[in-house]
Amino acid sequence: MTEQTTSVEEIQPESGPQAGPRVAGPASEAGAAELEAAGPQAVERPSAEQPLAGPEAGVLPSPGAPPVAAVEGDAVEVQAAPAKAKKNRRVLRAVLRWTAATVVFAAVGSAAAYGITGMERTDVPGLATKSDGRWDYPTIVKPPLPSGSPGPFAEANKAGAHYADLRKLLLPAPQGAKADAALRGEDGWLPRKTFLAQFGKANGESVDQMLTDYGLRHVAARGWTVADGTRTRVYLLQFGTATAAYELVTDQLANYDSPTHALRGADLTERDELFPDKVSVDEVVRFAYTESKPYGAEQAREAYLLAGDTVALIVQTRKGKTPEIPFQQTVVLQSQLLG
């Protein structure tokens, strides 16, 4: 408990109509003499049960309550009952602690609620969500590069070459899919004529000449069919340099609004406006198309990817309408493998 001792001579009386008696006592010498004459018995001392009045007790003094003071000599010493004051302080501290704890718990609860409401439904454990149709692909892992070989987009790799095995850069089939044996090729390398067969006779001959002119080196492919009948074909074509691959795609195979050479059975093909731009992969150029109505018994979707010295062609077909999400998923995953 803090004790305050104030000399009577140091306190000057207040002026004005609202001036009143000070707790420190009278300011005049006469008043001081009266206090000396009266002695300590003239001031009522608090009992042990009398609460401390003032801010230190945590409560306001009741109106008209006498000051709690002791007079000694020329000074007036403010005192209070220590037992009751300590008890009141303990109660006050307990109240403050519980109040602070309540505020903290409320803040934490609000933050947790905000975090839950801000999450996607699929991010919250225990909340099921309807499937958007995407396929269950295995974990995609890029094949290791030969020792000392740079990546296709490294500054030191001027040719933009993929030094990893091209066959290992093919996207694996999703879970439950049936592999297309016709695209396995011999030791994983697909004959050129098998690749050209999907363009039909006239377009196939034209594409064949282009592949020769731009120096095609290898073709690797993989295909599969899932339970709903969607068939997928992925072709990787590797050239001598990134420049040759770039010129082939941008000058001969893909335009902005449609491919230059239509696939067999998909003559009316246009740019896929529904393919989201935000899922693009750095350094990989993409041209995505979809067969427009009226199409025949099945609809085709196709995409050309340009990544360094390698060109990818991805084709999906299904009776009726080919689903959008699996096509986008397949194109993006294959882009990541090449990027």
Side-chain angles (χ1 to χ4, degrees):
M1 180 179 66
T2 304
E3 297 183 353
Q4 299 178 351
T5 305
T6 307
S7 174
V8 175
E9 287 86 2
E10 295 175 353
I11 301 179
Q12 300 298 325
E14 296 179 355
S15 61
Q18 295 181 354
R22 301 290 296 270
V23 175
S28 64
E29 294 182 358
E34 293 177 0
L35 284 175
E36 291 180 0
Q41 293 82 0
V43 180
E44 180 181 357
R45 296 187 179 274
S47 64
E49 297 181 356
Q50 183 177 358
L52 176 66
E56 291 186 359
V59 295
L60 294 176
S62 58
V68 181
V71 179
E72 186 174 349
D74 294 338
V76 178
E77 187 178 61
V78 179
Q79 297 180 348
K84 192 64 177 181
K86 290 182 179 178
K87 180 177 179 181
N88 288 340
R89 289 195 183 97
R90 287 197 298 269
V91 172
L92 177 60
R93 285 195 293 268
V95 171
L96 292 176
R97 284 198 299 268
W98 281 107
T99 302
T102 303
V103 171
V104 170
F105 289 145
V108 172
S110 299
Y114 176 81
I116 290 294
T117 56
M119 297 170 66
E120 295 293 336
R121 184 175 179 82
T122 52
D123 294 335
V124 183
L127 291 183
T129 185
K130 184 178 179 180
S131 172
D132 59 2
R134 69 186 64 190
W135 293 341
D136 186 13
Y137 278 99
T139 302
I140 307 301
V141 180
K142 289 185 177 182
L145 292 169
S147 179
S149 299
F153 304 108
E155 186 176 353
N157 191 348
K158 302 301 181 182
H162 283 84
Y163 290 104
D165 191 327
L166 189 68
R167 294 165 294 185
K168 294 182 179 180
L169 290 173
L170 282 166
L171 182 67
Q175 299 292 335
K178 182 180 179 181
D180 189 343
L183 297 182
R184 290 176 181 171
E186 183 178 350
D187 196 24
W189 299 115
L190 188 72
R192 183 189 294 199
K193 63 179 182 180
T194 305
F195 170 73
L196 296 173
Q198 66 186 322
F199 291 98
K201 184 176 180 180
N203 284 335
E205 291 177 354
S206 178
V207 173
D208 186 22
Q209 185 61 51
M210 293 177 195
L211 298 181
T212 300
D213 294 341
Y214 286 92
L216 176 66
R217 297 177 58 193
H218 304 292
V219 180
R222 177 170 289 142
W224 60 83
T225 304
V226 297
D228 68 355
T230 302
R231 182 189 177 197
T232 302
R233 290 161 281 169
V234 180
Y235 304 93
L236 299 184
L237 293 79
Q238 191 170 37
F239 297 84
T241 65
T243 301
Y246 177 84
E247 291 179 354
L248 172 65
V249 173
T250 57
D251 294 344
Q252 305 295 335
L253 294 178
N255 291 323
Y256 175 80
D257 55 353
S258 64
T260 304
H261 300 275
L263 299 175
R264 184 176 57 192
D267 295 330
L268 299 176
T269 305
E270 61 186 7
R271 183 175 182 269
D272 189 350
E273 299 289 348
L274 298 179
F275 205 111
D277 293 333
K278 64 181 180 180
V279 295
S280 61
V281 177
D282 290 343
E283 308 294 347
V284 178
V285 180
R286 179 184 70 221
F287 298 89
Y289 309 104
T290 181
E291 186 179 5
S292 55
K293 295 181 179 181
Y295 43 80
E298 62 181 14
Q299 184 191 34
R301 294 181 185 271
E302 61 183 288
Y304 282 102
L305 303 177
L306 175 62
D309 66 345
T310 301
V311 176
L313 173 61
I314 301 171
V315 181
Q316 282 190 355
T317 57
R318 193 182 78 166
K319 185 177 181 179
K321 183 179 180 181
T322 306
E324 300 168 4
I325 298 299
F327 175 66
Q328 297 171 4
Q329 182 189 17
T330 302
V331 170
V332 171
L333 291 177
Q334 183 61 70
S335 299
Q336 292 175 346
L337 270 172
L338 294 174

